[in-house]
mmCIF file of all heavy atoms in Angstrom:
data_model
loop_
_atom_site.group_PDB
_atom_site.id
_atom_site.type_symbol
_atom_site.label_atom_id
_atom_site.label_comp_id
_atom_site.label_asym_id
_atom_site.label_seq_id
_atom_site.Cartn_x
_atom_site.Cartn_y
_atom_site.Cartn_z
ATOM 1 N N THR A 1104 -0.023 12.815 -37.542
ATOM 2 C CA THR A 1104 -0.477 11.446 -37.281
ATOM 3 C C THR A 1104 -0.804 11.235 -35.812
ATOM 4 O O THR A 1104 -1.790 10.565 -35.466
ATOM 5 C CB THR A 1104 0.586 10.434 -37.725
ATOM 6 O OG1 THR A 1104 0.902 10.632 -39.105
ATOM 7 C CG2 THR A 1104 0.099 9.000 -37.524
ATOM 8 N N TYR A 1105 0.000 11.825 -34.938
ATOM 9 C CA TYR A 1105 -0.181 11.608 -33.509
ATOM 10 C C TYR A 1105 -1.468 12.232 -32.983
ATOM 11 O O TYR A 1105 -1.894 11.939 -31.866
ATOM 12 C CB TYR A 1105 1.021 12.143 -32.738
ATOM 13 C CG TYR A 1105 1.093 11.670 -31.302
ATOM 14 C CD1 TYR A 1105 0.960 10.319 -30.988
ATOM 15 C CD2 TYR A 1105 1.288 12.566 -30.254
ATOM 16 C CE1 TYR A 1105 1.014 9.875 -29.683
ATOM 17 C CE2 TYR A 1105 1.344 12.124 -28.939
ATOM 18 C CZ TYR A 1105 1.204 10.783 -28.656
ATOM 19 O OH TYR A 1105 1.257 10.345 -27.355
ATOM 20 N N GLN A 1106 -2.123 13.070 -33.804
ATOM 21 C CA GLN A 1106 -3.400 13.631 -33.393
ATOM 22 C C GLN A 1106 -4.512 12.580 -33.372
ATOM 23 O O GLN A 1106 -5.611 12.834 -32.874
ATOM 24 C CB GLN A 1106 -3.798 14.793 -34.309
ATOM 25 C CG GLN A 1106 -2.822 15.949 -34.303
ATOM 26 C CD GLN A 1106 -2.429 16.385 -32.903
ATOM 27 O OE1 GLN A 1106 -3.284 16.599 -32.039
ATOM 28 N NE2 GLN A 1106 -1.119 16.508 -32.670
ATOM 29 N N LEU A 1107 -4.200 11.381 -33.864
ATOM 30 C CA LEU A 1107 -5.166 10.284 -33.763
ATOM 31 C C LEU A 1107 -5.432 9.902 -32.310
ATOM 32 O O LEU A 1107 -6.381 9.161 -32.029
ATOM 33 C CB LEU A 1107 -4.665 9.056 -34.536
ATOM 34 C CG LEU A 1107 -4.911 9.055 -36.049
ATOM 35 C CD1 LEU A 1107 -4.265 7.838 -36.679
ATOM 36 C CD2 LEU A 1107 -6.410 9.080 -36.358
ATOM 37 N N LYS A 1108 -4.603 10.400 -31.401
ATOM 38 C CA LYS A 1108 -4.862 10.150 -29.986
ATOM 39 C C LYS A 1108 -6.191 10.780 -29.567
ATOM 40 O O LYS A 1108 -6.798 10.362 -28.567
ATOM 41 C CB LYS A 1108 -3.718 10.687 -29.120
ATOM 42 C CG LYS A 1108 -3.529 12.194 -29.175
ATOM 43 C CD LYS A 1108 -2.318 12.617 -28.358
ATOM 44 C CE LYS A 1108 -2.094 14.131 -28.447
ATOM 45 N NZ LYS A 1108 -0.907 14.578 -27.681
ATOM 46 N N ILE A 1109 -6.661 11.778 -30.315
ATOM 47 C CA ILE A 1109 -7.986 12.359 -30.052
ATOM 48 C C ILE A 1109 -9.060 11.297 -30.287
ATOM 49 O O ILE A 1109 -9.986 11.135 -29.495
ATOM 50 C CB ILE A 1109 -8.238 13.579 -30.955
ATOM 51 C CG1 ILE A 1109 -7.236 14.693 -30.642
ATOM 52 C CG2 ILE A 1109 -9.663 14.093 -30.799
ATOM 53 C CD1 ILE A 1109 -7.335 15.881 -31.567
ATOM 54 N N PHE A 1110 -8.904 10.558 -31.391
ATOM 55 C CA PHE A 1110 -9.852 9.493 -31.711
ATOM 56 C C PHE A 1110 -9.815 8.382 -30.662
ATOM 57 O O PHE A 1110 -10.864 7.929 -30.184
ATOM 58 C CB PHE A 1110 -9.532 8.916 -33.095
ATOM 59 C CG PHE A 1110 -10.284 7.654 -33.408
ATOM 60 C CD1 PHE A 1110 -11.621 7.688 -33.764
ATOM 61 C CD2 PHE A 1110 -9.642 6.419 -33.327
ATOM 62 C CE1 PHE A 1110 -12.318 6.525 -34.047
ATOM 63 C CE2 PHE A 1110 -10.331 5.246 -33.606
ATOM 64 C CZ PHE A 1110 -11.672 5.296 -33.965
ATOM 65 N N THR A 1111 -8.616 7.946 -30.291
ATOM 66 C CA THR A 1111 -8.513 6.839 -29.330
ATOM 67 C C THR A 1111 -8.995 7.263 -27.937
ATOM 68 O O THR A 1111 -9.611 6.466 -27.223
ATOM 69 C CB THR A 1111 -7.065 6.331 -29.239
ATOM 70 O OG1 THR A 1111 -6.193 7.388 -28.824
ATOM 71 C CG2 THR A 1111 -6.595 5.813 -30.584
ATOM 72 N N THR A 1112 -8.737 8.517 -27.559
ATOM 73 C CA THR A 1112 -9.222 9.008 -26.269
ATOM 74 C C THR A 1112 -10.748 9.044 -26.242
ATOM 75 O O THR A 1112 -11.378 8.651 -25.262
ATOM 76 C CB THR A 1112 -8.663 10.413 -25.967
ATOM 77 O OG1 THR A 1112 -7.242 10.379 -26.021
ATOM 78 C CG2 THR A 1112 -9.088 10.884 -24.578
ATOM 79 N N ALA A 1113 -11.341 9.500 -27.350
ATOM 80 C CA ALA A 1113 -12.801 9.520 -27.448
ATOM 81 C C ALA A 1113 -13.360 8.101 -27.389
ATOM 82 O O ALA A 1113 -14.371 7.837 -26.719
ATOM 83 C CB ALA A 1113 -13.230 10.206 -28.743
ATOM 84 N N LEU A 1114 -12.698 7.183 -28.086
ATOM 85 C CA LEU A 1114 -13.142 5.794 -28.114
ATOM 86 C C LEU A 1114 -13.136 5.176 -26.720
ATOM 87 O O LEU A 1114 -14.125 4.571 -26.284
ATOM 88 C CB LEU A 1114 -12.241 4.983 -29.052
ATOM 89 C CG LEU A 1114 -12.549 3.490 -29.173
ATOM 90 C CD1 LEU A 1114 -13.916 3.276 -29.790
ATOM 91 C CD2 LEU A 1114 -11.463 2.798 -30.014
ATOM 92 N N PHE A 1115 -12.042 5.352 -25.994
ATOM 93 C CA PHE A 1115 -11.945 4.781 -24.652
ATOM 94 C C PHE A 1115 -12.832 5.527 -23.652
ATOM 95 O O PHE A 1115 -13.250 4.952 -22.643
ATOM 96 C CB PHE A 1115 -10.490 4.769 -24.180
ATOM 97 C CG PHE A 1115 -9.655 3.701 -24.829
ATOM 98 C CD1 PHE A 1115 -8.635 4.033 -25.703
ATOM 99 C CD2 PHE A 1115 -9.902 2.364 -24.576
ATOM 100 C CE1 PHE A 1115 -7.877 3.050 -26.310
ATOM 101 C CE2 PHE A 1115 -9.150 1.367 -25.176
ATOM 102 C CZ PHE A 1115 -8.128 1.709 -26.057
ATOM 103 N N SER A 1116 -13.126 6.799 -23.926
ATOM 104 C CA SER A 1116 -14.063 7.532 -23.076
ATOM 105 C C SER A 1116 -15.451 6.925 -23.169
ATOM 106 O O SER A 1116 -16.173 6.833 -22.172
ATOM 107 C CB SER A 1116 -14.116 9.014 -23.483
ATOM 108 O OG SER A 1116 -12.899 9.666 -23.222
ATOM 109 N N VAL A 1117 -15.808 6.501 -24.377
ATOM 110 C CA VAL A 1117 -17.111 5.858 -24.579
ATOM 111 C C VAL A 1117 -17.128 4.470 -23.933
ATOM 112 O O VAL A 1117 -18.094 4.086 -23.267
ATOM 113 C CB VAL A 1117 -17.426 5.744 -26.086
ATOM 114 C CG1 VAL A 1117 -18.682 4.913 -26.313
ATOM 115 C CG2 VAL A 1117 -17.610 7.138 -26.688
ATOM 116 N N LEU A 1118 -16.052 3.712 -24.109
ATOM 117 C CA LEU A 1118 -16.008 2.335 -23.623
ATOM 118 C C LEU A 1118 -15.825 2.236 -22.114
ATOM 119 O O LEU A 1118 -16.459 1.418 -21.451
ATOM 120 C CB LEU A 1118 -14.871 1.575 -24.325
ATOM 121 C CG LEU A 1118 -15.013 1.384 -25.841
ATOM 122 C CD1 LEU A 1118 -13.780 0.703 -26.404
ATOM 123 C CD2 LEU A 1118 -16.262 0.580 -26.166
ATOM 124 N N ILE A 1119 -14.946 3.075 -21.547
ATOM 125 C CA ILE A 1119 -14.598 2.968 -20.129
ATOM 126 C C ILE A 1119 -15.443 3.896 -19.260
ATOM 127 O O ILE A 1119 -15.963 3.485 -18.218
ATOM 128 C CB ILE A 1119 -13.101 3.261 -19.919
ATOM 129 C CG1 ILE A 1119 -12.256 2.210 -20.655
ATOM 130 C CG2 ILE A 1119 -12.749 3.265 -18.424
ATOM 131 C CD1 ILE A 1119 -10.762 2.464 -20.573
ATOM 132 N N LEU A 1120 -15.587 5.150 -19.696
ATOM 133 C CA LEU A 1120 -16.314 6.128 -18.891
ATOM 134 C C LEU A 1120 -17.796 6.239 -19.268
ATOM 135 O O LEU A 1120 -18.526 7.021 -18.659
ATOM 136 C CB LEU A 1120 -15.645 7.506 -19.019
ATOM 137 C CG LEU A 1120 -14.178 7.583 -18.573
ATOM 138 C CD1 LEU A 1120 -13.635 8.988 -18.770
ATOM 139 C CD2 LEU A 1120 -14.028 7.148 -17.118
ATOM 140 N N LYS A 1121 -18.204 5.469 -20.293
ATOM 141 C CA LYS A 1121 -19.607 5.435 -20.724
ATOM 142 C C LYS A 1121 -20.127 6.811 -21.144
ATOM 143 O O LYS A 1121 -21.285 7.159 -20.899
ATOM 144 C CB LYS A 1121 -20.503 4.875 -19.605
ATOM 145 C CG LYS A 1121 -20.050 3.541 -19.051
ATOM 146 C CD LYS A 1121 -20.005 2.467 -20.129
ATOM 147 C CE LYS A 1121 -19.559 1.133 -19.542
ATOM 148 N NZ LYS A 1121 -19.432 0.086 -20.610
ATOM 149 N N ARG A 1122 -19.266 7.605 -21.756
ATOM 150 C CA ARG A 1122 -19.698 8.906 -22.244
ATOM 151 C C ARG A 1122 -20.324 8.774 -23.623
ATOM 152 O O ARG A 1122 -20.087 7.801 -24.346
ATOM 153 C CB ARG A 1122 -18.501 9.860 -22.304
ATOM 154 C CG ARG A 1122 -18.079 10.366 -20.938
ATOM 155 C CD ARG A 1122 -16.856 11.237 -21.036
ATOM 156 N NE ARG A 1122 -16.552 11.837 -19.750
ATOM 157 C CZ ARG A 1122 -15.350 12.235 -19.383
ATOM 158 N NH1 ARG A 1122 -14.337 12.106 -20.200
ATOM 159 N NH2 ARG A 1122 -15.149 12.784 -18.207
ATOM 160 N N LYS A 1123 -21.109 9.775 -23.995
ATOM 161 C CA LYS A 1123 -21.768 9.781 -25.290
ATOM 162 C C LYS A 1123 -21.218 10.917 -26.138
ATOM 163 O O LYS A 1123 -21.080 12.048 -25.676
ATOM 164 C CB LYS A 1123 -23.286 9.928 -25.121
ATOM 165 C CG LYS A 1123 -23.949 8.728 -24.441
ATOM 166 C CD LYS A 1123 -25.452 8.908 -24.372
ATOM 167 C CE LYS A 1123 -26.116 7.705 -23.705
ATOM 168 N NZ LYS A 1123 -27.592 7.868 -23.624
ATOM 169 N N LEU A 1124 -20.930 10.586 -27.379
ATOM 170 C CA LEU A 1124 -20.448 11.597 -28.305
ATOM 171 C C LEU A 1124 -21.618 12.228 -29.042
ATOM 172 O O LEU A 1124 -22.607 11.553 -29.352
ATOM 173 C CB LEU A 1124 -19.482 10.985 -29.316
ATOM 174 C CG LEU A 1124 -18.176 10.386 -28.776
ATOM 175 C CD1 LEU A 1124 -17.330 9.900 -29.939
ATOM 176 C CD2 LEU A 1124 -17.417 11.388 -27.938
ATOM 177 N N LEU A 1125 -21.478 13.527 -29.309
ATOM 178 C CA LEU A 1125 -22.489 14.215 -30.103
ATOM 179 C C LEU A 1125 -22.271 13.911 -31.581
ATOM 180 O O LEU A 1125 -21.203 13.441 -31.987
ATOM 181 C CB LEU A 1125 -22.395 15.721 -29.851
ATOM 182 C CG LEU A 1125 -22.545 16.156 -28.384
ATOM 183 C CD1 LEU A 1125 -22.323 17.645 -28.264
ATOM 184 C CD2 LEU A 1125 -23.904 15.767 -27.836
ATOM 185 N N ARG A 1126 -23.300 14.189 -32.391
ATOM 186 C CA ARG A 1126 -23.222 13.862 -33.813
ATOM 187 C C ARG A 1126 -22.037 14.542 -34.486
ATOM 188 O O ARG A 1126 -21.285 13.907 -35.247
ATOM 189 C CB ARG A 1126 -24.518 14.275 -34.519
ATOM 190 C CG ARG A 1126 -24.541 13.918 -36.014
ATOM 191 C CD ARG A 1126 -25.811 14.430 -36.680
ATOM 192 N NE ARG A 1126 -26.996 13.816 -36.074
ATOM 193 C CZ ARG A 1126 -28.242 14.141 -36.399
ATOM 194 N NH1 ARG A 1126 -28.457 15.092 -37.306
ATOM 195 N NH2 ARG A 1126 -29.253 13.550 -35.817
ATOM 196 N N HIS A 1127 -21.842 15.839 -34.200
ATOM 197 C CA HIS A 1127 -20.760 16.558 -34.861
ATOM 198 C C HIS A 1127 -19.386 16.063 -34.396
ATOM 199 O O HIS A 1127 -18.390 16.211 -35.101
ATOM 200 C CB HIS A 1127 -20.888 18.073 -34.628
ATOM 201 C CG HIS A 1127 -20.551 18.517 -33.253
ATOM 202 N ND1 HIS A 1127 -21.476 18.543 -32.226
ATOM 203 C CD2 HIS A 1127 -19.385 18.956 -32.705
ATOM 204 C CE1 HIS A 1127 -20.899 18.983 -31.122
ATOM 205 N NE2 HIS A 1127 -19.628 19.239 -31.382
ATOM 206 N N GLN A 1128 -19.331 15.441 -33.220
ATOM 207 C CA GLN A 1128 -18.057 14.901 -32.748
ATOM 208 C C GLN A 1128 -17.706 13.613 -33.485
ATOM 209 O O GLN A 1128 -16.528 13.362 -33.779
ATOM 210 C CB GLN A 1128 -18.131 14.670 -31.240
ATOM 211 C CG GLN A 1128 -18.194 15.973 -30.453
ATOM 212 C CD GLN A 1128 -18.396 15.758 -28.968
ATOM 213 O OE1 GLN A 1128 -19.127 14.856 -28.557
ATOM 214 N NE2 GLN A 1128 -17.761 16.589 -28.155
ATOM 215 N N TRP A 1129 -18.700 12.791 -33.785
ATOM 216 C CA TRP A 1129 -18.457 11.610 -34.617
ATOM 217 C C TRP A 1129 -17.985 12.037 -36.010
ATOM 218 O O TRP A 1129 -17.074 11.417 -36.597
ATOM 219 C CB TRP A 1129 -19.721 10.758 -34.728
ATOM 220 C CG TRP A 1129 -20.035 9.956 -33.502
ATOM 221 C CD1 TRP A 1129 -21.082 10.120 -32.648
ATOM 222 C CD2 TRP A 1129 -19.290 8.837 -32.985
ATOM 223 N NE1 TRP A 1129 -21.038 9.192 -31.631
ATOM 224 C CE2 TRP A 1129 -19.951 8.385 -31.817
ATOM 225 C CE3 TRP A 1129 -18.122 8.178 -33.410
ATOM 226 C CZ2 TRP A 1129 -19.491 7.312 -31.068
ATOM 227 C CZ3 TRP A 1129 -17.663 7.105 -32.656
ATOM 228 C CH2 TRP A 1129 -18.337 6.674 -31.506
ATOM 229 N N ILE A 1130 -18.617 13.090 -36.542
ATOM 230 C CA ILE A 1130 -18.193 13.614 -37.845
ATOM 231 C C ILE A 1130 -16.748 14.099 -37.776
ATOM 232 O O ILE A 1130 -15.940 13.850 -38.685
ATOM 233 C CB ILE A 1130 -19.127 14.752 -38.302
ATOM 234 C CG1 ILE A 1130 -20.545 14.211 -38.538
ATOM 235 C CG2 ILE A 1130 -18.600 15.421 -39.566
ATOM 236 C CD1 ILE A 1130 -21.577 15.291 -38.835
ATOM 237 N N ALA A 1131 -16.427 14.787 -36.677
ATOM 238 C CA ALA A 1131 -15.072 15.298 -36.493
ATOM 239 C C ALA A 1131 -14.047 14.162 -36.468
ATOM 240 O O ALA A 1131 -12.957 14.273 -37.045
ATOM 241 C CB ALA A 1131 -14.986 16.106 -35.195
ATOM 242 N N LEU A 1132 -14.380 13.062 -35.818
ATOM 243 C CA LEU A 1132 -13.464 11.915 -35.755
ATOM 244 C C LEU A 1132 -13.270 11.291 -37.140
ATOM 245 O O LEU A 1132 -12.159 10.860 -37.482
ATOM 246 C CB LEU A 1132 -14.001 10.875 -34.766
ATOM 247 C CG LEU A 1132 -14.049 11.318 -33.298
ATOM 248 C CD1 LEU A 1132 -14.657 10.215 -32.439
ATOM 249 C CD2 LEU A 1132 -12.658 11.689 -32.792
ATOM 250 N N ALA A 1133 -14.345 11.250 -37.930
ATOM 251 C CA ALA A 1133 -14.237 10.727 -39.299
ATOM 252 C C ALA A 1133 -13.345 11.629 -40.151
ATOM 253 O O ALA A 1133 -12.512 11.150 -40.934
ATOM 254 C CB ALA A 1133 -15.629 10.603 -39.923
ATOM 255 N N VAL A 1134 -13.510 12.941 -39.982
ATOM 256 C CA VAL A 1134 -12.668 13.907 -40.705
ATOM 257 C C VAL A 1134 -11.214 13.763 -40.272
ATOM 258 O O VAL A 1134 -10.293 13.829 -41.098
ATOM 259 C CB VAL A 1134 -13.166 15.350 -40.452
ATOM 260 C CG1 VAL A 1134 -12.209 16.368 -41.053
ATOM 261 C CG2 VAL A 1134 -14.563 15.543 -41.035
ATOM 262 N N LEU A 1135 -10.995 13.553 -38.975
ATOM 263 C CA LEU A 1135 -9.642 13.372 -38.441
ATOM 264 C C LEU A 1135 -8.955 12.178 -39.090
ATOM 265 O O LEU A 1135 -7.802 12.280 -39.550
ATOM 266 C CB LEU A 1135 -9.712 13.172 -36.932
ATOM 267 C CG LEU A 1135 -8.405 12.780 -36.224
ATOM 268 C CD1 LEU A 1135 -7.411 13.919 -36.272
ATOM 269 C CD2 LEU A 1135 -8.682 12.381 -34.777
#
Side-chain angles (χ1 to χ4, degrees):
T1104 304
Y1105 194 49
Q1106 299 312 311
L1107 278 175
K1108 64 184 178 181
I1109 296 175
F1110 169 76
T1111 59
T1112 304
L1114 179 64
F1115 285 112
S1116 293
V1117 172
L1118 296 176
I1119 297 177
L1120 300 179
K1121 307 300 181 183
R1122 285 177 174 155
K1123 294 183 179 180
L1124 297 183
L1125 303 175
R1126 182 184 299 176
H1127 73 273
Q1128 291 175 323
W1129 285 112
I1130 295 173
L1132 294 178
V1134 173
L1135 172 68

